[in-house]
Amino acid sequence: MTDPRGFLRIPRRPVPPRPVEERLDDWREVYAGQALLPLVSEQALRCMDCGIPFCHSGCPLGNLIPEWNAYAAHGDWSAAAERLHATNNFPEFTGRLCPAPCEDACVLAINTDPVTIKNVEETIADEAWKRGYAPPQPPQRLSGKTVAVVGSGPAGLAAAQQLTRTGHTVVVYERDDRLGGLLRYGIPEFKLEKSHLDRRIQQMREEGTKFRTGVDVGGELDAAELRRRHDALIVAVGATERRELPVPGRELSGIHQAMDYLTYANRVQEGDYAASPVSAEGKHAVIVGGGDTGSDCLGTVLRQGALSAVQLDINPEPGEARPEAQPWPVTHPKVYRISHAHAEARGREGIDPRLFASATLHFEGDAEGNVRALCLTEVEPAARSPLPGTDRVLPAELVLIALGFSGPEQGSGLMEQLGLTVDGRGNFARGGDFAALPARPAGRGAPGERDSEGGGDASAARGAAAWRARTDGVFVAGDAGRGQSLVVWAIAEGRAAAAAADRYLTGSTVLPSPIAPWDRPLVA
C-alpha cells in the first residue's frame, strides 16, 4: 500500500510544464523533457487506498487507480503497467488528453487537493514503453472469424486491439491518409506528439491487426459489401458533423471551422505543408467556443504568431470552488480552469484570453470580402439572451468556429448502406431487436450489470444486442453512437463493443465490458 499518512505530509505538486516562452517557440508537448521522477512516485504516496475508491466511478474505464498508485509509489513499474493496461488500451493517450474526472472524484477532493492521478497515469505508461513492459500481445490461436472496423479513432483502435488479441482477424478502415482519426489531425502536437500514436499502431500491427487507409467506406467502398465480406462490422466513425454559427457575415473569407484549421496545422507537423494554408501569423484571431477544441485553437494561433487572440465562451465565468449543486463525487464540477493554452495567452499581464457570457451577433468585412471584425454582446446567463447596451466590436482577421459536433455524418452513404438509424440526439441508434428494453437512468451501470464472461448478471443477449445496430452483425461504438465525448469514454465504448461483437461471433466472451451504451457521466 501507499504511505497511510502521505496525504497529510505531502502537498499536491503536479508535474510543471515547460516555461511558456520556451514552448511557444516549438510544437513539442508542453511537458516534453520535464523530469517525471521522483516527483510522480512521491505524489502517488498521497493516495489513501480508500475502502471505497470513488476515483473508479469518476472514470468510465474503471481504472484500478489505487492499485497502480501503490506500485508507482514504490517504483514497481512492471506491476503498475500491468494494472494500468488491464482496463485501458491506450493510457499514454488518456494521461495526456483526458481532463481527469477521476481527480474530481478522489476522496481527497472533498476538502483538499486530489492525487495527481493524471500525472501518475502518464508516467506509468511512458515507463512501460521505456522499460519494455508493453510488448505486442498476438493471440495464441485464430478464431477463423473476421471483423471490419470502420474508423481509426480511439474507439475503433480499442475495439480492434481487443478483438485481435482474442483471436479474430481484424481490418481497420480509415478514410484519411493516416491512422488515428481526431488523435491524428484534431489534437495538436503540443498536446499529443504523434510518435505516441505511431508507436501504439505499430504494436497493433505486430499483434496482427490490419489497416487500410484512404478507404472511404460508404463512398468508394460499399458498406453493405464490406459487411458481407466479414463476420461482423463495428462502426466507429466518430461524431464529425460540425455545428455552425448562422449569423450575418458568416460567408466572409477568413472564417473557418476549427477542425479544418487544426487539421492543416497538424499536416504541417506531418510534413505535408511547409506552412499552413490557414495561418494566424500577423492576424487578430478570435475563437468562438469555450471548450477544449477552442483551447486547442488558442494554443495553435499563439504558436503561429497571432497579433492577438480572444476566445469567446457563451457560458458565465465559473467560480473557483465546487458549486453545491454539483456534489462530490458523482459530478465533474464546472469550476474555473486554466488550460496550458490559456496560461500561454495570459502572458506576463495575467489577463485571461476568454470573454465569458459572450455571444456573436455578426461579422463585418472589407471591400474584398475578408472578415475584419466580430460584433459581440454579453448574454444573460440563464436564458443566454443579449443584454442591451453591451455590444462591442473585436478586430478579427481570422475567426475559428469551435462549437462542437452534433453527431456522425449522415450523408456519407454509410448510414443508408448499412441500414443505420439515428436516435433523438442525431447519433447512430443501437439496441437491435432489443430496442424496446426499458431505458436506463443516467450514470454508470452497476458492476453486476457489466456483461463479461465469468462475472455480472446481465443476460448475454442483452449484452450483445445493446451495442448492435438494426442490421445483424453491425455494432456502433464511440462518439458515433454516444455523441461527442471524452477520450476515456471512446476507449471504454470500443472495449465494450468489442466484447459484444466477440459474444456475437462465438457465443461467449472473456473481454471486459466497462460501460453500457446508456451510461452517461452525471451532471447537475
Side-chain angles (χ1 to χ4, degrees), residues 311-324:
Q311 183 179 4
L312 305 185
D313 190 338
I314 199 170
N315 297 298
E317 181 174 342
E320 299 279 354
R322 180 192 287 266
E324 292 185 3

Side-chain angles (χ1 to χ4, degrees), residues 479 482-487 489-490 521:
D479 289 1
R482 174 170 296 274
Q484 64 175 14
S485 190
L486 303 178
V487 63
W489 283 93

Side-chain angles (χ1 to χ4, degrees), residues 13-15 31 34-44 68-69 71-73 75-78 80-81 84-85 91-96 116-131 133 196 199:
R13 287 180 59 206
V15 175
Y31 292 109
Q34 297 296 86
L36 302 177
L37 300 175
L39 174 61
V40 166
S41 293
E42 181 188 53
Q43 288 296 299
W68 41 259
N69 270 337
Y71 289 124
D76 189 345
W77 302 109
S78 176
L84 181 57
H85 283 94
E92 66 271 32
F93 302 163
T94 55
R96 288 170 166 82
T116 56
I117 298 172
K118 183 173 177 177
N119 284 169
V120 178
E121 179 181 27
E122 179 182 347
T123 303
I124 296 172
D126 289 351
E127 288 295 312
W129 284 106
K130 185 188 303 181
R131 298 167 184 262
Y133 298 149
H196 302 293
R199 180 176 58 188

